[in-house]
């Protein structure tokens, strides 16, 4: 008797938990799982003539992610255009991450070592661009490095250069734009890690014959590492899928994955390829996230 | 071995400057257990941090083995600190923590391992070498912090209130442990605490500090029996203070029945007498005898504190050992004679208290 009433209670409890979780589950299903399923299904269909899809099974979308077929003799070769864009996306995202690391870590350090009262002000300066429209911010950067933009006009005015340096629509322009846009995403988590760091530990290291460099390497960096990794992930993942910045700074010349995907759904009228490319991007992001959880979660679980 | 000469520390500039340490001078002998004792804000931690190298002195010299190290950075001073919060590196194991200094000094791994093993044995933590420091109890962390600071064989070990985070029982154990470590290693310890009992039980010499100045430097017994001033007398142990006057070699207390001889200059004095030296009952020869009304008896197990009121309203506390008196020595409400033996009286210059 006692056992069965206990079972009843457990069943009721389980039911109650499901009931409580159901709104969240419904939202996840509706807005995350179903759309993803649609994308997966579309990637295996044939393109419609004016966009959309034909309900006919085809692997052409996935095939075209990396390969292309010659129009005349049907020979298969690696798709140079897609490969270039894929590698560019990964390389530029990595480069953006590295640049924001080099700029963001010292910035975060600077802010975290200010007196308590001043920190809020510095953090405000870092976050203000965040409240500004991404498009506006990117166009502002464009204004800086355009051929007749601020930088070139100053250099010309000073007589340091004879003709404007062409910077727009290059990988460099893309990097400047992305580093600028994503910098706060690096500064904030690194700042919070440094701010939590107990500087008495650095003092202890210093007391125990460690030079400043040794202390930085053996005491400070290992302790702020989670923040650095979180910042890197926060920069790397949106960089991979960046759309607005490459569109404005790179134009049609320096495209990234995001622009390529958009193109397939727009002018390209190749929805299955767009869907397959989107899933490729998702896979890249997953790889980055798995690497991230290895680096952070794995370390503490090991012991 | 360590000579401190006119060392001073000011924080801030101009009008708002605060003097944390007025010019202090003292010497510490090789192998000594030296304690800086005082209430919080007395400058003891500032002084310790200057010896460690974390705070540059505003003036004066810090001479260790004949060399002025006042402006040498902490990583070049043969001085290590056990921090109040231990400051163990949470991402390292116990062994890595203990070996940190040797690694920073560029010692070979074999030598590091050997020293770490020896240090962990010294603090009886060999079995925990591969734990992360965050997984240890407070007492264990304390031992790791000690081993870590001892591993590079410093000339002086600085201890900044290392026992304040431990509970009473553990603290008593660690007091004995620290004293043992100091004897075994023969190292010079400079110990900072605000706990007078801790200071008395462990130290060879104690410097009592207040307001950024030294009030007295003495061995524990002298500090207790012959405090230099009212602050020291009040800070170390419990004390009765009575105001009196010296005239022609006689000490006159308004409450007392008769004066007693006293070798002191004429003028007002503060008479200090420890509660355990107050004798209840019959008058003794050469003692000040007072009449006191027993107000409260407070039982402490080993002894009883007898709180009494004197005729003029002043209070007097006596501590009576429960072992050598029957419990009915006195009763609350009773008025009894109390003797203050001449040898128990300490005359201090009167201060505006």
């Amino acid at each position: 008797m006692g056992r069965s009433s206990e079972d009843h209670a457990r069943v009721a409890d389980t039911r109650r938990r499901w009931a409580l979780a159901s709104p969240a589950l419904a939202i996840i299903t509706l807005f995350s799982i179903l759309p993803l399923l649609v994308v997966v299904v579309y990637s295996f269909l044939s393109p419609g003539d004016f966009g959309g899809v034909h309900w006919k099974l085809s692997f052409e979308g996935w095939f075209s992610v990396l390969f292309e077929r010659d129009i005349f003799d049907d020979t298969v070769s690696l798709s140079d255009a897609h490969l270039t864009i894929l590698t560019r996306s990964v390389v530029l995202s990595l480069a953006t991450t590295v640049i924001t690391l080099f700029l963001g870590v010292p910035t975060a350090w600077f802010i975290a070592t200010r007196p308590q009262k001043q920190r809020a002000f510095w953090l405000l300066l870092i976050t203000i661009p965040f409240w500004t429209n991404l498009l506006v911010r990117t166009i502002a950067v464009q204004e800086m490095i355009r051929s007749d933009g601020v930088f070139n006009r100053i250099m010309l005015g000073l007589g340091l250069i004879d003709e404007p340096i062409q910077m727009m629509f290059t990988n460099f322009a893309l990097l400047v734009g992305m580093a600028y846009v994503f910098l706060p995403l690096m500064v904030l988590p690194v700042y919070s890690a440094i701010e939590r760091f107990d500087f008495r530990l650095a003092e202890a290291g210093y007391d125990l014959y460690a030079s400043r460099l040794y202390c930085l390497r053996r005491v400070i960096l290992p302790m702020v590492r989670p923040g650095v990794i979180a910042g890197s992930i926060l920069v790397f993942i949106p960089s991979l899928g960046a759309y607005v910045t490459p569109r404005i700074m790179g134009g049609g010349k320096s495209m990234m994955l995001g622009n390529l995907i958009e193109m397939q759904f727009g002018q390209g009228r190749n929805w299955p390829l767009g869907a397959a490319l989107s899933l490729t991007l998702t896979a890249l992001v997953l790889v980055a996230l798995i690497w991230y959880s290895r680096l952070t979660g794995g370390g503490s679980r090991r012991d | 071995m360590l000579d401190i000469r006119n060392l001073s520390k000011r924080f801030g500039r101009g009008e708002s400057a605060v003097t944390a340490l007025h010019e202090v001078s003292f010497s510490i002998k090789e192998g000594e257990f030296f304690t800086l004792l005082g209430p919080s804000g007395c400058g003891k931690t500032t002084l310790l941090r200057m010896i460690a190298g974390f705070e540059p002195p505003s003036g004066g010299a810090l001479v260790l083995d004949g060399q002025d190290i006042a402006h040498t950075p902490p990583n070049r001073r043969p001085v290590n600190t056990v921090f109040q919060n231990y400051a163990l590196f949470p991402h390292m194991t116990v062994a890595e923590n203990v070996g940190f200094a040797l690694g920073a000094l560029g010692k070979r791994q074999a030598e590091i391992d050997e020293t770490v093993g020896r240090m962990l044995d010294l603090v009886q933590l060999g079995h925990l070498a591969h734990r992360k420091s965050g997984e240890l109890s407070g007492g264990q962390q304390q031992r790791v912090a000690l081993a870590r600071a001892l591993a590079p064989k410093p000339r002086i070990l600085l201890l900044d209130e290392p026992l304040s985070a431990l509970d009473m029982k553990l603290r008593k154990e660690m007091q004995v442990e620290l004293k043992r470590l100091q004897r075994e290693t023969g190292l010079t310890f400079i110990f900072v605490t605000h706990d007078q009992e801790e200071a008395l039980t462990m130290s060879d010499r104690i410097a009592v500090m207040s307001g950024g100045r030294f009030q007295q430097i003495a061995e524990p017994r002298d500090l207790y029996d012959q405090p230099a001033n009212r602050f020291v007398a009040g800070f170390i142990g419990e004390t009765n203070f009575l105001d009196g006057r010296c005239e022609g070699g006689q000490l006159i207390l308004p409450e007392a029945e008769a004066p007693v001889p006293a070798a002191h200059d004429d003028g007002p004095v503060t008479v200090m007498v420890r509660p355990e030296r107050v004798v209840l009952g019959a008058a003794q020869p050469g003692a000040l005898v007072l009449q006191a009304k027993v107000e409260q008896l407070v039982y402490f197990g080993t002894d009883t504190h007898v709180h009494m009121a004197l005729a003029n309203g002043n209070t007097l506390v006596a501590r009576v050992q429960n072992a050598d008196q029957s419990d009915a020595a006195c009763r609350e409400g009773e008025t009894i004679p109390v003797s203050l033996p001449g040898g128990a009286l300490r005359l201090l210059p009167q201060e505006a208290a």
Side-chain angles (χ1 to χ4, degrees):
Chain A
M1 279 299 281
R3 164 71 55 98
S4 93
S5 77
E6 208 172 88
D7 282 348
H8 276 301
R10 199 175 302 147
V11 169
D13 187 50
T14 312
R15 233 179 251 156
R16 204 166 50 89
R17 280 163 196 254
W18 276 104
L20 283 173
S22 57
L25 289 173
I27 287 172
I28 291 173
T29 312
L30 199 61
F31 295 107
S32 181
I33 297 175
L34 281 181
L36 194 63
L37 273 178
V38 169
V39 177
V40 172
V41 169
Y42 274 28
S43 73
F44 289 106
L45 297 174
S46 326
D49 295 332
F50 306 98
V53 285
H54 267 316
W55 282 85
K56 199 179 113 212
L57 180 69
S58 160
F59 296 100
E60 200 64 23
W62 281 102
F63 178 81
S64 310
V65 169
L66 286 180
F67 302 101
E68 58 192 359
R69 232 183 277 276
D70 195 284
I71 314 173
F72 301 109
D73 57 9
D74 259 11
T75 49
V76 172
S77 59
L78 276 172
S79 163
D80 283 341
H82 288 184
L83 269 181
T84 312
I85 291 172
L86 256 175
T87 22
R88 180 187 293 129
S89 294
V90 173
V91 170
L92 284 187
S93 298
L94 283 175
T96 304
T97 310
V98 172
I99 292 171
T100 51
L101 260 177
F102 273 94
L103 294 175
V105 172
T107 310
W109 182 276
F110 173 83
I111 299 174
T113 50
R114 289 314 94 191
Q116 187 83 47
K117 279 184 205 153
Q118 291 175 26
R119 286 184 213 164
F121 168 74
W122 290 105
L123 282 177
L124 186 73
L125 287 190
I126 293 291
T127 42
I128 278 177
F130 244 24
W131 308 337
T132 318
N133 186 294
L134 175 60
L135 203 58
V136 175
R137 269 189 292 161
T138 313
I139 287 173
V141 180
Q142 188 187 34
E143 178 59 29
M144 299 292 293
I145 64 171
R146 230 152 32 99
S147 290
D148 55 348
V150 176
F151 176 81
N152 271 319
R153 262 183 283 158
I154 289 176
M155 296 297 276
L156 283 171
L158 290 174
L160 292 170
I161 50 175
D162 294 329
E163 50 188 83
I165 302 171
Q166 165 66 36
M167 286 178 287
M168 282 308 295
F169 313 122
T170 61
N171 288 345
F172 171 77
L174 253 171
L175 271 182
V176 171
M178 298 223 295
Y180 169 69
V181 166
F182 292 123
L183 188 59
L185 293 177
M186 180 63 84
V187 173
L188 295 178
V190 175
Y191 163 78
S192 99
I194 296 176
E195 202 230 359
R196 257 177 295 146
F197 176 73
D198 182 354
F199 277 91
R200 287 176 297 187
L201 293 180
E203 208 165 63
Y206 204 26
D207 182 62
L208 294 162
Y209 308 107
S211 62
R212 281 171 196 279
L213 197 67
Y214 193 86
C215 216
L216 185 73
R217 205 157 51 80
R218 294 294 310 278
V219 180
I220 300 171
L221 281 186
M223 300 221 49
V224 302
R225 206 179 72 144
V228 171
I229 294 172
S232 303
I233 284 293
L234 280 179
V235 171
F236 181 73
I237 288 176
S239 296
L240 265 183
Y243 170 73
V244 171
T245 312
R247 177 71 187 271
I248 294 173
M249 305 300 289
K253 272 177 157 181
S254 279
M255 259 203 261
M256 283 180 62
L257 259 177
N259 310 97
L260 184 62
I261 292 168
E262 188 267 350
M263 219 172 94
Q264 303 315 320
F265 287 100
Q267 308 141 265
R269 291 180 194 164
N270 192 346
W271 286 28
L273 174 56
L277 284 168
S278 301
L279 292 170
T280 309
L281 176 60
T282 311
L284 284 175
V285 168
L286 273 179
V287 169
L289 283 175
I290 288 167
W291 171 77
Y292 171 67
S293 72
R294 280 271 174 82
L295 273 184
T296 50
S300 60
R301 235 178 287 134
R302 209 168 10 199
D303 303 85
Chain B
M1 144 193 222
L2 180 69
D3 281 303
I4 286 173
R5 296 175 196 152
N6 304 323
L7 202 66
S8 65
K9 180 70 188 177
R10 282 182 305 278
F11 290 107
R13 284 208 191 90
E15 294 279 309
S16 62
V18 179
T19 304
L21 198 67
H22 296 274
E23 297 195 350
V24 298
S25 299
F26 65 102
S27 293
I28 295 173
K29 292 189 279 284
E30 183 97 47
E32 194 171 19
F33 197 123
F34 190 89
T35 297
L36 300 171
L37 173 67
S40 58
C42 71
K44 57 190 195 295
T45 296
T46 303
L47 177 53
L48 196 79
R49 288 176 59 80
M50 282 200 284
I51 300 174
F54 299 132
E55 302 282 356
S58 306
L62 202 69
V63 182
L64 176 64
D65 298 326
Q67 261 192 318
D68 186 2
I69 56 162
H71 296 282
T72 309
N75 59 338
R76 302 227 189 86
R77 292 184 191 203
V79 173
N80 293 135
T81 309
V82 176
F83 294 89
Q84 185 170 11
N85 63 338
Y86 317 137
L88 297 180
F89 305 125
H91 58 293
M92 296 184 193
T93 64
V94 167
E96 285 167 342
N97 263 286
V98 176
F100 182 88
L102 300 170
L105 287 169
K107 297 275 193 262
R108 282 178 301 108
Q109 193 57 43
E111 190 183 338
I112 296 176
D113 292 343
E114 194 266 327
T115 310
V116 167
R118 210 152 29 80
M119 285 302 137
L120 287 179
D121 286 345
L122 190 67
V123 296
Q124 294 151 6
L125 280 183
H127 57 294
L128 297 179
H130 300 293
R131 290 274 188 87
K132 281 271 163 69
S133 58
E135 298 164 13
L136 304 179
S137 70
Q140 289 167 338
Q141 291 190 23
Q142 169 70 81
R143 284 160 196 265
V144 176
L146 262 170
R148 184 178 70 172
L150 287 170
K153 290 206 191 93
R155 292 282 291 139
I156 303 177
L157 187 73
L158 307 177
L159 302 106
D160 186 8
E161 308 219 18
L163 307 182
S164 59
L166 304 178
D167 64 49
M168 174 81 104
K169 188 165 170 291
L170 207 51
R171 189 158 44 199
K172 299 256 183 215
E173 282 173 28
M174 281 308 294
Q175 286 175 12
V176 176
E177 177 87 11
L178 267 179
K179 196 67 198 159
R180 174 185 71 85
L181 271 175
Q182 197 249 344
R183 257 199 309 271
E184 275 179 28
T185 54
L187 264 177
T188 309
F189 277 33
I190 302 181
F191 186 87
V192 160
T193 183
H194 62 266
D195 182 333
Q196 44 103 4
E197 191 188 307
E198 207 166 272
L200 289 177
T201 53
M202 299 169 72
S203 320
D204 294 324
R205 273 196 305 158
I206 299 170
V208 181
M209 296 181 71
S210 154
R213 287 191 173 86
F214 280 2
Q215 301 296 323
Q216 187 173 9
I217 303 181
E219 290 174 18
R221 179 170 289 274
D222 292 342
L223 212 55
Y224 189 78
D225 289 339
Q226 285 153 23
N229 55 40
R230 192 173 172 144
F231 176 83
V232 176
F235 196 72
I236 310 273
E238 285 163 58
T239 305
N240 295 298
F241 291 113
L242 299 167
D243 288 332
R245 187 159 50 81
C246 273
E247 259 177 42
Q250 297 276 59
L251 169 64
I252 302 160
L253 270 190
E255 303 94 329
E257 288 164 358
V260 291
H264 197 276
D265 294 340
D266 287 2
V269 290
T270 295
V271 179
M272 177 212 122
V273 57
R274 297 287 183 191
E276 68 272 20
R277 304 290 294 269
V278 176
V279 181
L280 302 187
Q284 299 184 339
L288 274 174
V289 180
L290 317 166
Q291 291 296 321
K293 182 164 178 253
V294 179
E295 300 229 294
Q296 203 182 1
L297 296 173
V298 184
Y299 181 72
F300 274 88
T302 54
D303 46 33
T304 299
H305 290 194
V306 183
H307 292 257
M308 295 170 285
L310 302 175
N312 62 359
N314 283 350
T315 57
L316 186 72
V317 179
R319 187 188 293 176
V320 184
Q321 287 263 321
N322 289 334
D324 40 65
Q325 306 230 353
S326 60
D327 47 10
C330 57
R331 264 186 223 93
E332 289 180 12
E334 236 176 6
T335 298
I336 53 168
V338 174
S339 302
L340 309 178
L345 302 177
R346 169 97 181 136
L347 305 187
L348 303 169
Q350 216 168 57
E351 298 165 30

